[in-house]
Amino acid sequence: MLGLLLLAVAPSVALAHPLGNFTINHYAGLRVAPDAIDVDAVLDEAEIPTFDARRDIDTDGDGEISDAESELARVPQCRSFTASLVLSVGGSRVPLELVAAGLEFPIAAAGLPTMRLVCELHAALPARIGSATAVSFSDGSFSERIGWREMTVVGDGVTVEGTNLRSASNSNRLTAYPTDLLQQPLADRAVWFTATRGGPAAAAFAAPDARSLDAEAPVGRGSDALADGDTARVADPATLSAVPGGIGDEIDGLLRTRDLTPIVLIASMLAAAALGAGHALTPGHGKTLMGAYLVGARGTPIHALGLGLSVAVSHTLGILVLALVVLAAGTALPPDQFQRFAPIVSAVTLTAVGALLLIGQVRRRRFAPAAGTDGHDHPHGPDHPHGHDDAHGH
């Protein structure tokens, strides 16, 4: 009963980033005018890539991102990101100039920080758009990482035409992902269209979470240009602990506690066992296969206990080995690649093990001696053709 209760509660407290805590999510909004193109480029990094990024931004190594460190990092972070953005007009590449930047660390549902980077870019066109002009834009940043990728295009005194163009953001600039698209997130890595002079003027736009490069750093806030009441995405540095990556103060305090009583230790072990049991009830742990094998082998309760212990130990060791592999790989192989290929490796491994077990059973049944025989040509039993007395001449 406790396991079922945990199943109902666990997803609501364990879920952090809606697309997974390995993801790096992209948005680029293009605003095309006759003489210039502006790009609103946004990165929303989930918990794991944020952990890595914070280690570089935390220049004093104290585990916290101060206002000064955030201010110092926002422009270099944008320049690193936007170096992989390519805008071409009329077949020629047009340089993108960084004019505003914003860096925040919103706290996710599990108490861990994510990172939101906003980079406002301006491209002055060498010639005004007149007749139909080919325009393309691509984002090659973090190409090896999984995540949401979205692009929109609007004309400002220019008419834009292309295939599957979006004029509005489905995710509200990576702040509210639509639940019906989470299983198949958008994957816009490039956009192509034609621009022709003439068309309605677009509404004025100013990124609410980016500041001009020469703006003074605000005190205690990630942006001085947020819309009224829009504070949900701004992380208060005081809420981040001294643990690199920003684990919540409660967890940090628990790990540093030295006066744990025996009752607390026992309760913690029982809680850990209950959480483990709840986790084991979720799909994907091969319990059905193990149970079928145990039933087919006519196992005893002792066998079931041994099997359960072996599964628990192997599962724990497997997680530890996987963590060590991910840490050892470092930047050579992004962690989300493990998340992508681990199910494939698991499926192949289980299929191979199942095939070996099946082949073994077929061989045993095929070559096993028939009932009442020992593999020899003569039978054994009460109708044995000779007795011991005859064999000795009696």
Side-chain angles (χ1 to χ4, degrees):
M1 187 66 183
L2 178 59
L4 295 177
L5 179 61
L6 288 171
L7 281 178
V9 175
S12 63
V13 298
L15 178 64
H17 198 283
L19 286 167
N21 52 19
F22 284 106
T23 58
I24 296 181
N25 308 288
H26 305 238
Y27 168 75
L30 278 66
R31 182 187 182 91
V32 185
D35 57 352
I37 296 179
D38 294 307
V39 181
D40 173 29
V42 183
L43 275 185
D44 174 26
E45 299 194 11
E47 292 81 2
I48 300 301
T50 296
F51 179 89
D52 293 331
R54 283 172 60 90
R55 289 188 294 185
D56 295 330
I57 297 172
D58 181 19
T59 54
D60 60 9
D62 66 350
E64 296 183 3
I65 304 300
S66 65
D67 291 335
E69 288 171 330
S70 180
E71 176 66 18
L72 186 65
R74 67 185 179 105
V75 173
Q77 288 286 322
C78 272
R79 295 200 188 283
S80 176
F81 163 41
T82 58
S84 299
L85 306 183
V86 177
L87 174 67
S88 295
V89 179
S92 299
R93 182 168 179 174
V94 179
L96 291 164
E97 178 189 1
L98 181 67
V99 296
L103 180 63
E104 302 171 358
F105 294 92
I107 300 300
L112 298 174
T114 59
M115 188 174 85
R116 180 174 176 84
L117 179 67
V118 181
C119 309
E120 298 302 302
L121 308 166
H122 178 79
L125 302 184
R128 292 177 66 87
I129 293 176
S131 59
T133 302
V135 180
S136 67
F137 175 82
S138 64
D139 178 0
S141 63
F142 303 102
S143 58
E144 76 284 2
R145 305 300 293 260
I146 60 175
W148 180 282
R149 289 177 177 267
E150 180 183 8
M151 295 182 179
T152 62
V153 180
V154 296
D156 183 10
V158 167
T159 299
V160 295
E161 296 179 327
T163 303
N164 298 325
L165 291 183
R166 298 185 182 87
S167 59
S169 172
N170 292 56
S171 64
N172 192 22
R173 300 176 68 245
L174 306 184
T175 60
Y177 298 93
T179 56
D180 58 334
L181 294 178
L182 292 183
Q183 296 302 318
Q184 293 183 328
L186 299 183
D188 302 336
R189 294 179 180 267
V191 63
W192 300 267
F193 57 92
T194 59
T196 306
R197 185 174 182 179
F205 173 79
D209 37 15
R211 302 187 319 289
S212 173
L213 298 192
D214 56 1
E216 294 184 2
V219 177
R221 295 178 61 85
S223 171
D224 61 355
L226 288 175
D228 293 340
D230 185 11
T231 60
R233 299 284 300 177
V234 180
D236 181 359
T239 65
L240 304 179
S241 73
V243 178
I247 298 176
D249 291 334
E250 297 82 0
I251 298 177
D252 182 37
L254 177 62
L255 294 176
R256 296 174 183 273
T257 300
R258 294 291 183 269
D259 56 349
L260 295 178
T261 64
I263 295 178
V264 173
L265 288 174
I266 294 174
S268 300
M269 294 177 66
L270 292 176
L275 290 172
H279 175 67
L281 289 175
T282 59
H285 292 82
K287 295 173 292 298
T288 303
L289 180 63
M290 291 293 189
Y293 175 78
L294 193 63
V295 172
R298 298 180 180 179
T300 65
I302 297 298
H303 295 150
L305 180 61
L307 180 62
L309 289 174
S310 66
V311 170
V313 172
S314 62
H315 186 66
T316 302
L317 291 178
I319 295 299
L320 292 176
V321 170
L322 180 60
L324 291 175
V325 170
V326 172
L327 291 175
T331 57
L333 186 61
D336 55 298
Q337 298 299 322
F338 289 97
Q339 187 181 33
R340 178 182 298 179
F341 294 113
I344 299 176
V345 175
S346 177
V348 171
T349 303
L350 287 176
T351 301
V353 171
L356 290 175
L357 291 175
L358 179 61
I359 292 172
Q361 286 293 335
V362 170
R363 286 180 175 177
R364 278 193 291 271
R365 291 180 179 275
R366 181 177 180 181
F367 298 107
T373 68
D374 59 1
H376 301 288
D377 293 335
H378 63 277
H380 291 271
D383 295 330
H384 199 284
H386 58 270
H388 292 286
D389 292 341
D390 294 335
H392 295 283
H394 298 291

